[in-house]
Every structure is written in C-alpha cells, then in structure tokens.
Amino acid sequence: MADGMLYSEEDKKQMKASFLALNKSRLRELVNYARQMEYSRIGIASCFSMYKYALLLKEKLEQEGFMVFLSHCKESGLKNNDIMEGCGTGPSCDPAHQAEYLNGAQTDLNINFGLCLGHGLIFSAKSRAPVTTFVVKDFAAEHNPLRELLPEND
C-alpha cells in the first residue's frame, strides 16, 4: 500500500520538480529540475576518460546560468598503491576526493558523469548534495547499458 507519509516536505518538492521536468532530453530535464529546486551551484564528478565530454556539459550548464564545479577522478594525485596493494604506482581514481571537493564548493546538486560503478557508489555516499547520473560508463555497450537487456534483433 502506498503511503505519502514516507516523504518529507523536501522529498515532495523534489518529486514535484521531477514531475515538472519530465519528457525532455536528459540535459533539459536536468536544467529544468535544477531551476525548479532553485539550485545555483552544480557539481560534476567525471571519469578521467570522459573529461572532455564533462567539459561540454559544464559549458552548457554555465550557459544556462549555473555556477558549475568539475572534478575528474584522477586529479587528486592518489596512487593505486596508496589504497590497493599490488596494483601499481599509476594514478588511482579518487571518488572520495571528488566528493570532498564538491562538498567544499557547497554544491546544491552533483552529477555522476561516467564514474565506474563502485566509484560512483563511493562518490554518492560521500556527497552532501543529492547525486544524479548523467552518463553511465559502459564501453562494451557504447554507454547504453540497456543494450545488454534487449533481444539482439530489436
């Protein structure tokens, strides 16, 4: 049985903003939602391999009037061996640093832009602002995870 009592007033505000932003491209939905919620500061946590595309999103959001903060996963300087023994000395992804940076920027909303699955989970858990996903990284399926669920001839 559905129960509206499960939702706080802030939850209800978010639900209404989502409803009013429906049936648009993901970019338009994001912009409309952020405006409905009266957000002004948006953070983007990007995978390093998708950084050039994250820069495009940053530019689009700035054109829409938002203040945008961008962090790619390898900019902290953390090395693989610092957290994973035996994994080499190369740069490591650092989703906790990305969350810390965006928390420090006091963002209203954060965007997961192609972070690896586990890294996205860590980022979301450590982010003070709500997190939405803009791009799911899936190189095998050309960033379309639904492709694996559909019959091959569709």
Side-chain angles (χ1 to χ4, degrees):
M1 178 171 160
D3 185 356
M5 300 302 293
L6 296 174
Y7 295 93
S8 69
E9 290 305 311
E10 181 65 16
D11 293 337
K12 290 175 184 178
K13 182 179 177 183
Q14 289 179 1
M15 295 290 281
K16 184 173 183 181
S18 294
F19 178 79
L20 294 172
L22 283 176
N23 301 320
K24 313 281 188 295
S25 70
R26 186 66 172 184
L27 177 59
R28 291 299 342 142
E29 185 177 1
L30 175 65
V31 168
N32 291 348
Y33 177 83
R35 285 191 177 135
Q36 286 288 324
M37 293 299 294
E38 300 178 355
Y39 294 156
S40 61
R41 302 168 72 83
I42 297 179
I44 303 172
S46 170
C47 171
F48 180 74
S49 67
M50 298 206 163
Y51 190 66
K52 69 180 180 179
Y53 303 109
L55 286 170
L56 295 174
L57 177 60
K58 180 180 188 289
E59 181 180 312
K60 292 279 189 188
L61 292 173
E62 287 173 340
Q63 289 170 359
E64 294 286 345
F66 297 101
M67 186 177 298
V68 183
F69 301 85
L70 173 60
S71 175
H72 72 68
C73 60
K74 296 191 182 212
E75 69 188 15
S76 74
L78 183 70
K79 302 291 184 205
N80 283 326
N81 269 345
D82 292 341
I83 56 173
M84 301 177 293
E85 186 177 321
C87 290
T89 59
S92 176
C93 295
D94 193 351
H97 170 79
Q98 289 175 288
E100 182 177 86
Y101 168 72
L102 296 176
N103 289 342
Q106 298 179 334
T107 53
D108 301 309
L109 175 69
N110 289 329
I111 299 167
N112 173 338
F113 196 95
L115 297 178
C116 295
L117 190 141
H119 299 163
L121 292 171
I122 292 168
F123 172 75
S124 293
K126 296 188 179 292
S127 172
R128 288 190 196 124
V131 177
T132 190
T133 300
F134 192 82
V135 174
V136 174
K137 182 169 60 177
D138 187 338
F139 290 112
E142 298 172 333
H143 311 301
N144 179 6
L146 283 177
R147 193 171 89 183
E148 298 241 355
L149 299 177
L150 301 175
E152 289 186 1
N153 294 327
D154 281 357

